[in-house]
Amino acid sequence: MKQRKLWMTAAAVLLMSGAVLTGCRKSNVAVAVSATDDTSQFVTLTDVVPDAILEIRYFGTYNFVGTRIDGYEEPTALLTRQAADSLRAVSDDVIKLGYRLKIYDAYRPQKGVDHFMRWGADIPDTLMKTFFYPDLDKKVLFPQEYICERSGHTRGSTLDLTLFDMATEKELDMGGTFDWFGPESHPDFCGNPETGEYTGDNSKSPRGRSITAQQFANRMILRQAMLRHGFKPFDTEWWHFTLKDEPFPDTYFTFPVKQL
């Protein structure tokens, strides 16, 4: 009944023909996309996963834009109930290995995505280029789909995260920073994520960068834990996962990020 109400109270319905981007992947099929500010199916992530550590990058200024992103009103993380429940299982899993989940981003309001779009069109604004996209001309961010008009995060069951090592009290070394724009962030960089085999193949890196066998293995610890509990990976970002059976695959939410 609640899901039916959510659809009935949708603020708008946008018919996107061939240009609905989900995680920056185009579809050739016309899809009806609903937009709504209904929060009834969402939870505050730490209410369900109390062991999670939050570092909400888009609430602060250390991100590829260099300023707080529109729609991030509080440094918290929100998810659909289904995604949060699955993430709790992931958390329980990795804690046994001595890690905690560290969350960079979860639900992202559409106004945040719109902020990225405006920034991407402002070519002279390269404040954070050195830190996040030193190998790229900003003009390629749209054609190479680093910036898109729709994001899976806005559907509420996608998140960006890493692992925190409780023994060292530091993030587990993944060989690269969150939101690095480049092939070095791809799950298959220097290895095969399907088998977990490290190959050392860094041929995709324009500057010959590489990651070690241990750094690749660390990425695989996170990936395998997420896959075991119903999440699917994204092929260009080792930190990005979406619940396979997400409850709102065609709904892009508009409410701001703040404590529920």
Side-chain angles (χ1 to χ4, degrees), residues 70 107-115 117 148-151 154 252-255:
D70 291 353
Y107 161 70
R108 181 184 307 160
Q110 184 59 43
K111 66 171 60 177
V113 179
D114 295 343
H115 190 164
M117 292 291 289
C148 303
E149 63 185 341
R150 290 277 181 265
S151 169
T154 310
Y252 291 78
F253 293 86
T254 58
F255 58 86

Side-chain angles (χ1 to χ4, degrees), residues 132-153:
F132 294 100
Y133 53 104
D135 301 341
L136 296 176
D137 187 317
K138 191 176 177 182
K139 293 178 182 177
V140 308
L141 297 186
F142 284 130
Q144 294 189 16
E145 298 183 347
Y146 286 102
I147 305 294
C148 303
E149 63 185 341
R150 290 277 181 265
S151 169
H153 284 273

Side-chain angles (χ1 to χ4, degrees), residues 3 7 20-23 41-42 79-84 86 107 151-159 229-233 240-253:
Q3 289 194 14
W7 284 93
V20 177
L21 304 180
T22 59
Q41 303 299 309
F42 282 73
L79 280 176
T80 61
R81 164 62 70 175
Q82 293 90 330
S86 293
Y107 161 70
S151 169
H153 284 273
T154 310
R155 303 194 301 267
S157 295
T158 293
L159 71 160
H229 296 288
F231 289 89
K232 59 185 179 182
H240 178 120
F241 297 88
T242 299
L243 188 68
K244 282 184 181 178
D245 297 323
E246 58 179 311
F248 305 111
D250 301 315
T251 305
Y252 291 78
F253 293 86

Side-chain angles (χ1 to χ4, degrees), residues 147-189:
I147 305 294
C148 303
E149 63 185 341
R150 290 277 181 265
S151 169
H153 284 273
T154 310
R155 303 194 301 267
S157 295
T158 293
L159 71 160
D160 298 328
L161 76 169
T162 190
L163 294 173
F164 182 87
D165 188 332
M166 291 188 285
T168 64
E169 299 184 349
K170 296 179 180 179
E171 291 179 19
L172 200 60
D173 184 1
M174 301 295 191
T177 187
F178 162 66
D179 262 355
W180 176 272
F181 292 178
E184 298 85 357
S185 294
H186 295 186
D188 64 357
F189 183 65

Side-chain angles (χ1 to χ4, degrees), residues 43-220:
V43 295
T44 298
L45 187 153
T46 48
D47 286 347
V48 180
V49 191
D51 295 315
I53 298 168
L54 302 186
E55 186 183 325
I56 307 304
R57 290 285 184 90
Y58 301 137
F59 181 78
T61 61
Y62 182 57
N63 57 59
F64 63 85
V65 177
T67 189
R68 181 177 296 173
I69 303 305
D70 291 353
Y72 286 79
E73 296 184 0
E74 295 179 5
T76 192
L78 310 178
L79 280 176
T80 61
R81 164 62 70 175
Q82 293 90 330
D85 286 344
S86 293
L87 192 67
R88 174 60 186 264
V90 177
S91 178
D92 291 345
D93 215 355
V94 300
I95 280 179
K96 297 173 186 175
L97 302 175
Y99 306 119
R100 291 190 184 221
L101 301 179
K102 186 172 186 178
I103 312 300
Y104 294 126
D105 194 30
Y107 161 70
R108 181 184 307 160
Q110 184 59 43
K111 66 171 60 177
V113 179
D114 295 343
H115 190 164
F116 291 164
M117 292 291 289
R118 293 194 306 274
W119 170 82
D122 185 5
I123 301 302
D125 182 358
T126 55
L127 176 65
M128 303 299 283
K129 177 179 173 65
T130 301
F131 306 103
F132 294 100
Y133 53 104
D135 301 341
L136 296 176
D137 187 317
K138 191 176 177 182
K139 293 178 182 177
V140 308
L141 297 186
F142 284 130
Q144 294 189 16
E145 298 183 347
Y146 286 102
I147 305 294
C148 303
E149 63 185 341
R150 290 277 181 265
S151 169
H153 284 273
T154 310
R155 303 194 301 267
S157 295
T158 293
L159 71 160
D160 298 328
L161 76 169
T162 190
L163 294 173
F164 182 87
D165 188 332
M166 291 188 285
T168 64
E169 299 184 349
K170 296 179 180 179
E171 291 179 19
L172 200 60
D173 184 1
M174 301 295 191
T177 187
F178 162 66
D179 262 355
W180 176 272
F181 292 178
E184 298 85 357
S185 294
H186 295 186
D188 64 357
F189 183 65
C190 287
N192 183 338
E194 301 305 319
T195 64
E197 178 189 7
Y198 176 75
T199 63
D201 181 3
N202 66 341
S203 58
K204 293 182 180 179
S205 174
R207 297 292 179 89
R209 294 184 175 88
S210 189
I211 62 174
T212 66
Q214 185 60 60
Q215 291 165 337
F216 180 78
N218 291 344
R219 293 183 180 190
M220 294 302 101

